[in-house]
Each structure stands twice: as C-alpha cells, then as structure tokens.
Amino acid sequence: MPLYKEQQIKLYNSLTGKKEIFKPINEGHVGMYVCGPTVYSNVHLGNVRTFMSFDMVFRYLKHLDYKVRYVRNITDAGHLENDADAGEDKITKKARLEQIEPMEVVQRYTVDFHNVLRTFNFLPPSIEPTATGHIIEQIELISKIIDNGFAYEVNGSVYFDVHKFNETNDYGKLSKRKLDDLIHNTRTLDGQSDKKNPQDFALWKKAEPQHIMRWPSPWSDGFPGWHLECTAMSTKYLGDQFDIHGGGMDLKFPHHECEIAQNEAAIGVSPVNYWMHANMLELNGQRMSKSTGNTVNPDELLSGNNAFFSKAYSPSVIRFFVAQSSYRSVLDLTDDGLLASEKGFYRLMDAVNLIDGLKASATSSIDIRAWKQKCYDAMNDDFNSPILIAHLFEAAKYINQIKEGQATISAEDLNLLKETINSFVFDVLGLENATKSDSGTDKLSGAVDVLIRLRQDARANKDFAMSDKIRDELAEVGIQLKDGKDGTTFSVN
C-alpha cells in the first residue's frame, strides 16, 4: 500500500488562509508548479531558499509514493523592470549593458542557476519549460481572453481588462486586496496611457524598434507579458486545474493574482487548488538588497569570501539551517545561526553514522514506531521541518544512549530506526552525509565548484584562454575537471 494512504497532509493554502487536508485531483498523482527564476543575473540566496523549500515538498510527496509532475519554469523573456508593464526587458537590458546577445545572457545565468541548485543537492523538476519556448501557447491564450471579452488591443499591445473581469469574478482574492482600494492607491504612470485603467496589465507588448526579443503575433511584432507565461505553461503540462502552485511571498501580488485572473478569463475555472508561498530571507535582520550592499550570493557563502560570515559553510549545513525554520516564516541569515546549525548538523550526522555499529538487544527501551509516526506527523503538518528535526535529535540522543549501554533496541526496531532516519535525513531533507573530519573536504568542494562556475562563465563569454587556465592550474595541484553532458565534475588525484 502506498504511504500516502497511511499519511494525511494538511497544508496551508494561501488562497483560503488556513490549513487544509491535501487531496489531489487524481488519486496518487500530484501536479505542482513553481515559478522559476528570471535568468538575467546570478541566482541569489532568497531564490535558493524558496526553491529549497519546494524541493523539500517535492521530496516528501515522492517519499509518500505520490507520482509527482513538478514543473518549474525559466523566464527568459517578457519580465520588464520593476515587474511593471513599462521599461526595458531585464534580459535585454543586461545584454545591452554587456554588449552580447540576449540568449547569451539567458544561457549564462541558466547554467549558473542549475549549478547552484546542483551544489545544494536539489532534485531536478519533471519539466523545466521556458517562456520563449511557449510563445504560440501564449498567443493562443491571449486570443481566448480577448474572445471572452476580458482583454483589449491598443496600438499593437494587448491588456487584460481588470475592471471588466471583476464584474463577474473576484480580482484580488489571493492577496486579499479589493479593486476599489487598488484604484484609490494607484497613480497614473507615464508610459501607461494605452491602458483603459492603471490596474490593467499587459498580455502582449508591441516591441519598440530597438527591442531585440520579438515575435510575430496577430496584434504586432512584440513579446508576451510576464504573468502570461506561467498560466500558459502550467496549464499546458498540468491541465486547466492542478494541485499545487508555489513561489515566493513576493509573487503573490500581482504575479499570482494575475495568473488566477488569466486562467479564469480564458478557461472559466480557477487554476489551482492549493497555493503555497515561501517567505523572505533576510541578512542580519535586514532585507537583502544589492543597492545597500546587504547581500551575499551562494558562491560567497560557500567559499567564505564575504564580509558577513566568519567562515565557509557547506551546502548541507545551509540546507539544514533553512530546514530549521518553517518555509512560511521570515528567515534571518546570520553567522551565529549558521554556526549553531553547523554544530547541530554534525551532531546529527555523527549519530546517523553510529547506527550501523549498534548492537541489538532482546527488547527496546523506546517505542520506535511511535517516534517514526511523530516524524510523519511533523511533515504532515504543513511540511513542518523544524519539528521533524527536533524528533531527529530525539533519535540522535537515543542512538548515543544505546551506544553507551544506557538504552536498548531490538533488531527489528534497529532496522526500522535506520530506515526511518535515513529516509527523513537524506531523502526528505536532502542532506548529504558528512562527519566533522569531512569539513575540509566540504570547503574544497565548495571552492572548486566556485572555480567551475567561473570557468563556465568564461566559456559562455568565449574567453577560452581563461577557461583553459582554470582547468590547467587546477590540474597542476591535482584536481582534475571532467566535462560531461550533465555538467562538469572533479576528482582529486
């Protein structure tokens, strides 16, 4: 019998504002969509925290024997500055500043995104579609919305008519905002004169002569609006209605609100049963911001080359730190917090690595089956990883007591303990085994991963001399790089 029949998840639904029993549309199958990155810069730690949360959700659903189709998109066109309908495309702007092609920008930062997630031991999604790969689907979706009377074309651009939609639907139901309040708090902005109302948003934008990324459409040569791509790709691969849609808290409005409106306007149904939002990551109690310098990227955290932290931290320590907070809580990244998490991580790993050496007794002095269910109860309660970790430390204490002869465990319970702790530590939380003596190896791995990414950036920029220099100088100190279809790996000779 599949585990999901024995374990019942309750998850917090942002749409209703309460925890609900999770019941997928099709028994045994889960469709999950998570908004991916706009690939115009290196992925930042706030993104990593969000994707790490949904990686854990994905892992737990798979652990419960659900067949999961996990779709996470790549935004490679259509995302304008400040998430608005005016200004320059973020990718096009980056390409102009660096004097390269937009798709070179996309390639460089998509590679970086994958490398960072691989470093943190993420499972790949089932499907990773791109906005540029689904222009036809987006044009078809716009046509449906126009035909249904919820969009209008002006001078080659197409806008979603929020006021018309709100006459029969509830625009703002996800973010709990009322259209009247939005109208009252909205100023008319330059460059939006084509709109009937400031609250309307772009489905298709006519490209200006200097705009490089453009496609033909019935309305103009142009490009799709940012909100549209997720509606088109999620419904293509998961159906008109699917189970879970996730993303960062900052996407709830307007991005996710607009997704709901687009789907209801085009198809007549609300697309998602359960909306999940991961909260923000702060640095030393303040919002991360490039403009203020209060920011650190994954490479800097892994290498220790930054002004905020006393040392380098391994990917698993960072995963452990993230898992010690609920995905719905604001998480403050501090050196003290990471140091404490590192100690806890190695304490847990030490206990895990003692299991194989434990001797079984005739009876157990602890109820392992009850402990196992407590672990499931924690994850079943809206993926409560902090409570799960508390139960894992209970097991660590028990393991040490058995080793010291202060507690006993039967052979059957010993196997159950080992199976359960390995499942939750490695399969669900996604941690990788290590001991304190491995910390130097972790630092080496982190440093080489940084060099591999620098080499890939050099190759993407056609700086092959620098690429070869990194490879050759690593080889001189006994670190051999190997390029393969799944990326670059290394070995120490």
Side-chain angles (χ1 to χ4, degrees), residues 303-324:
S303 66
N305 184 25
N306 62 79
F308 299 98
F309 300 98
S310 60
K311 55 178 291 186
Y313 293 97
S314 74
S316 279
V317 166
I318 296 167
R319 275 196 81 116
F320 189 68
F321 170 78
V322 170
Q324 286 182 294

Side-chain angles (χ1 to χ4, degrees), residues 118-320:
R118 192 180 299 115
T119 298
F120 285 104
N121 196 32
F122 280 61
L123 297 178
S126 314
I127 303 172
E128 193 173 54
T130 64
T132 57
H134 295 78
I135 299 296
I136 292 173
E137 289 85 353
Q138 293 177 78
I139 290 172
E140 291 175 346
L141 190 60
I142 295 170
S143 296
K144 286 182 181 179
I145 295 173
I146 292 174
D147 291 344
N148 290 340
F150 295 112
Y152 55 92
E153 182 266 334
V154 180
N155 297 327
S157 293
V158 181
Y159 296 97
F160 189 96
D161 192 334
V162 170
H163 290 241
K164 178 69 173 177
F165 175 79
N166 203 54
E167 290 174 5
T168 53
N169 297 271
D170 183 10
Y171 183 79
K173 61 184 176 183
L174 176 65
S175 57
K176 310 300 185 287
R177 304 185 187 205
K178 296 297 182 183
L179 184 56
D180 288 345
D181 295 333
L182 294 173
I183 294 170
H184 179 72
N185 293 317
T186 301
R187 294 181 295 109
T188 301
L189 302 176
D190 291 339
Q192 294 188 336
S193 57
D194 285 346
K195 296 181 181 182
K196 290 181 181 178
N197 303 285
Q199 297 77 32
D200 297 348
F201 57 89
L203 299 174
W204 186 265
K205 290 285 288 182
K206 180 180 179 180
E208 298 299 325
Q210 70 273 17
H211 198 97
I212 301 172
M213 302 178 78
R214 59 173 67 213
W215 293 265
S217 79
W219 313 285
S220 65
D221 280 3
F223 53 94
W226 172 43
H227 310 307
L228 189 69
E229 63 176 274
C230 287
T231 298
M233 291 186 283
S234 62
T235 55
K236 175 171 181 174
Y237 296 110
L238 299 175
D240 293 345
Q241 291 183 292
F242 55 95
D243 299 304
I244 297 172
H245 193 315
M249 193 75 74
D250 57 319
L251 296 180
K252 186 183 291 186
F253 185 89
H255 187 56
H256 291 160
E257 199 73 72
C258 293
E259 281 191 59
I260 293 174
Q262 289 165 163
N263 209 81
E264 291 182 351
I267 304 169
V269 295
S270 191
V272 181
N273 285 347
Y274 305 92
W275 284 90
M276 296 179 65
H277 291 93
N279 217 320
M280 309 301 289
L281 181 69
E282 294 182 342
L283 179 59
N284 293 324
Q286 297 181 339
R287 185 174 182 269
M288 284 200 187
S289 171
K290 289 183 180 179
S291 61
T292 63
N294 191 56
T295 185
V296 61
N297 67 37
D299 287 350
E300 292 168 339
L301 185 57
L302 292 167
S303 66
N305 184 25
N306 62 79
F308 299 98
F309 300 98
S310 60
K311 55 178 291 186
Y313 293 97
S314 74
S316 279
V317 166
I318 296 167
R319 275 196 81 116
F320 189 68

Side-chain angles (χ1 to χ4, degrees), residues 345-358 399 403 421-422 426 432-436 438:
F345 170 75
Y346 285 117
R347 183 156 57 92
L348 181 59
M349 289 302 111
D350 287 346
V352 170
N353 291 321
L354 285 175
I355 293 177
D356 285 337
L358 296 181
I399 289 167
K403 179 178 179 291
I421 204 166
N422 284 340
F426 303 122
E432 295 182 285
N433 204 345
T435 63
K436 289 179 182 177
D438 291 332

